């Protein structure tokens, strides 16, 4: 399964194109299956319908835990570094993790969770988060992890969409020098969530929380009432493993569905190959440090499932890169002798801005591979990462993928693929990218750019959007017939290397967080006095993209304080979506540039937000071209 040379990569790629089923079947055979599959793949992108390893039965936790016990039961599976460096961390060996997952699974059963039930998880980055995720998988319950930065309203929307029966949370979370009241937010959400019968609460900050009789139970007390004996539920390869909500260009976030078999095979294969994780184990196994939150797909695939399926040691960090100071990542790298560091460009740019003091007083010599994910990495950040963190001896893998793809799609294989700054380079085996023009015509050859699509299924492709299959078809499979459309623009250079240039739809990527412009507009429009708004992204030095909101407000009184109103709007967005969606800039306008048919011309608003007002293009089709001059003048004041 492990590719070691570029020739091997090319051979594997060729094999995967000529005989995809044979290629993936060979890899899948390395896992533990209760029953073998009867047919490797059945698919059509029109419905869409994709099934891998049909008829195969398995449990992903047997592959992530049980099968490692004989050989590496005493090897660390999860190393946990708490927010406060003075607090003692936790190391869970595979045996300990297995034991705790089984106990937690029994707690879920005790609280009425059965195979197929949905469980919402809203927790800090503590071992119990990974344990809860795996406990769901153990008994065949479907987890829906919600990132701790989302509001009560966002949690409620997600719980209701999936009709979750149980919520797992904590009293509070530590993030840098802040304490965040998680349970309180869950309590607010649950006012509008009739499907929820039980809430399991972990003690973390021991902040006072309300515990409702009959509904809320303490995790610690529940754990005392169960044994560590919990046989894994037998799952079909195509049973749902989890739902993860993500933003699109329209409407509310959609629940991306991944299934047990294909997701397991794909995350394990990509983890081991892209990062060249050495699974020898032994006395000092390699340590993989992915800095993402488990609330996002990166955490699901490359903190929990991928590494554990490979028997790796994965580090889980509760805190933030800048607390107690901006050397925190480097403290962790030295403390645990991290081999692989996988982080986001936004974190790199943020740490870059502090200078080199905190980098230079660290050793960092344990590092072997550096990874980047979540957004395009700019040349300056790439070189800083290469020069100062990898000391020019660690390959950088710029990994392009999405919540919907389940795992890494286009990326160098560390030390095998020649890298090129800002390029995700080449597709992994099994991935068949194509570039198309607006009409869906394939753009062949090199030195071209277009919209990035994938023309053949890979094992971890999205299966559906939960509860609304038509939305899945519409969003990903209807733009270009017979193709999965990624929503990304892409360039293929003379060497055939791919570079992702960013979203071509109305999805923003703010600090690696995916946010729909429509969602932010809806939140702003909920604020009293707001008539209409339009949200666009603009280049931001640290966040990659910032959020720029143009807002039409009702006639304000003479003594109205615009700054105060802006702050109120921010509070509304925080309340409706969460702090991550707060606009960086708000500009009050009296009108928006609209076509005669009433469509907002975002192209113009984007240009103005970028400060590129000289090239607004054709504005003659606008209903009221005068509005553009007013917005331009106002934008100068904002800047
Ligand atoms: O625009 C691409 C960008 O992030 C989007 C997917 O976001 P999400 O589903 O939240 O998953 C992020 C983590 C996998 C993509 O459509 N993106 C992700 N990785 C890269 C990237 N853009 C450029 N380069 C990357 N390496």
């Amino acid at each position: 399964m492990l590719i070691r040379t570029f020739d091997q990569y090319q051979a594997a790629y060729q094999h995967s194109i000529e005989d995809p089923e044979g290629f993936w079947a060979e890899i899948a055979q390395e896992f533990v299956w209760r029953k073998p599959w009867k047919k490797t793949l059945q698919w059509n992108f029109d419905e869409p319908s994709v099934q891998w390893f049909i008829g195969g039965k398995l449990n992903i936790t047997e592959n992530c835990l049980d099968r490692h016990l004989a050989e590496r039961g005493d090897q660390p599976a999860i190393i946990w570094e708490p927010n406060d460096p003075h607090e003692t961390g936790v190391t869970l060996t595979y045996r300990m993790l297995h034991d705790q997952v089984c106990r937690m699974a029994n707690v879920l059963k005790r609280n009425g969770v059965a195979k197929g039930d949905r469980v919402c998880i809203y927790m800090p980055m503590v071992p119990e988060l990974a344990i809860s995720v795996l406990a769901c998988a153990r008994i065949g319950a479907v987890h829906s992890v919600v990132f701790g930065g989302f509001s009560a309203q966002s949690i409620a929307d997600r719980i209701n969409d999936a009709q979750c029966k149980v919520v797992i949370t904590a009293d509070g979370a530590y993030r840098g020098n802040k304490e965040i009241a998680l349970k309180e937010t869950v309590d607010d959400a649950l006012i509008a969530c009739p499907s929820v019968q039980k809430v399991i609460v972990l003690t973390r900050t021991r902040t006072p929380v309300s515990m409702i009789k009959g509904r809320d139970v303490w995790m610690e007390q529940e754990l005392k009432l169960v044994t560590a004996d919990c046989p894994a539920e037998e799952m079909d390869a195509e049973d749902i493993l989890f739902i993860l909500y993500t933003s699109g260009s329209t409407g509310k976030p959609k629940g991306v569905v991944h299934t047990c078999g294909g997701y397991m095979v794909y995350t394990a294969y990509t983890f081991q190959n892209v990062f060249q994780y050495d699974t020898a184990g032994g006395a000092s196994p390699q340590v993989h440090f992915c800095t993402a939150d488990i609330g996002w797909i990166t955490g699901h695939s490359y903190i929990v499932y991928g590494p554990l399926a490979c028997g790796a040691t994965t580090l889980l960090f509760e805190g933030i890169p800048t607390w107690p100071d901006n050397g925190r990542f480097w403290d962790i790298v030295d403390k645990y002798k991290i081999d692989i560091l996988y982080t986001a460009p936004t974190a790199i740019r943020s740490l870059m801005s502090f200078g080199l003091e905190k980098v230079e007083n660290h050793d960092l010599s344990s590092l072997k591979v550096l990874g980047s994910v979540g957004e395009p990495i700019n040349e300056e950040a790439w070189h800083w990462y290469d020069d100062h963190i990898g000391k020019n001896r660690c390959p950088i893998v710029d990994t392009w993928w999405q919540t919907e793809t389940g795992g890494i799609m286009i990326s160098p294989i560390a030390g095998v693929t020649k890298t090129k700054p800002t390029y995700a380079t080449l597709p992994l085996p099994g991935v068949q990218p194509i570039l198309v023009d607006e009409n869906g015509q394939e753009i062949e050859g090199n030195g071209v750019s277009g919209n990035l699509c994938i023309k053949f299924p890979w094992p971890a492709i999205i299966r559906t959007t939960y509860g609304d299959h038509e939305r899945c078809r519409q969003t990903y499979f209807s733009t270009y017939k017979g193709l999965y459309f990624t929503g990304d623009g892409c360039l293929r250079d003379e060497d055939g290397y791919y570079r992702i240039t960013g979203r071509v739809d109305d999805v923003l990527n703010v600090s690696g967080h995916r946010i729909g412009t429509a969602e932010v507009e809806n939140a702003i429009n909920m604020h009293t006095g707001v008539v209409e708004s339009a949200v666009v992204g603009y280049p931001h030095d640290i966040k990659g993209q910032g959020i720029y909101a143009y807002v039409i407000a009702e006639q304000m009184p003479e003594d109205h304080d615009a700054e105060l109103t802006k702050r109120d709007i921010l509070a509304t967005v925080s309340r409706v979506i969460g702090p991550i969606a707060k606009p960086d800039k708000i500009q009050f306008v009296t009108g928006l540039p609209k076509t005669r048919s009433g469509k907002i011309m975002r192209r113009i608003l984007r240009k103005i937000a970028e400060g590129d007002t000289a090239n607004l293009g054709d504005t003659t089709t606008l209903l009221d071209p005068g509005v553009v001059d007013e917005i331009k003048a106002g934008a100068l004041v904002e800047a």
Side-chain angles (χ1 to χ4, degrees), residues 246 297-298 372-377 398-404 486 488 500 502-503 509 512 514:
T246 191
I297 191 69
T298 308
S372 173
V373 60
E375 43 173 329
I377 182 165
D398 177 2
T399 64
W400 172 82
W401 57 296
Q402 310 178 296
T403 306
E404 295 87 343
T486 64
D488 279 315
I500 314 305
R503 302 288 302 196
N509 196 325
R514 193 164 145 181

Side-chain angles (χ1 to χ4, degrees), residues 165-210:
K165 196 171 185 185
V166 164
V167 179
I168 309 176
T169 189
D171 49 356
Y174 295 117
R175 254 183 91 71
N177 58 6
K178 288 199 203 115
E179 221 180 281
I180 299 156
L182 294 185
K183 173 64 163 59
E184 196 179 297
T185 308
V186 168
D187 285 338
D188 287 346
L190 293 190
I191 292 170
C193 299
S195 64
V196 174
Q197 293 170 8
K198 283 283 167 70
V199 181
I200 301 169
V201 186
L202 169 80
T203 310
R204 176 69 187 117
T205 55
R206 201 52 191 103
T207 183
V209 289
S210 71

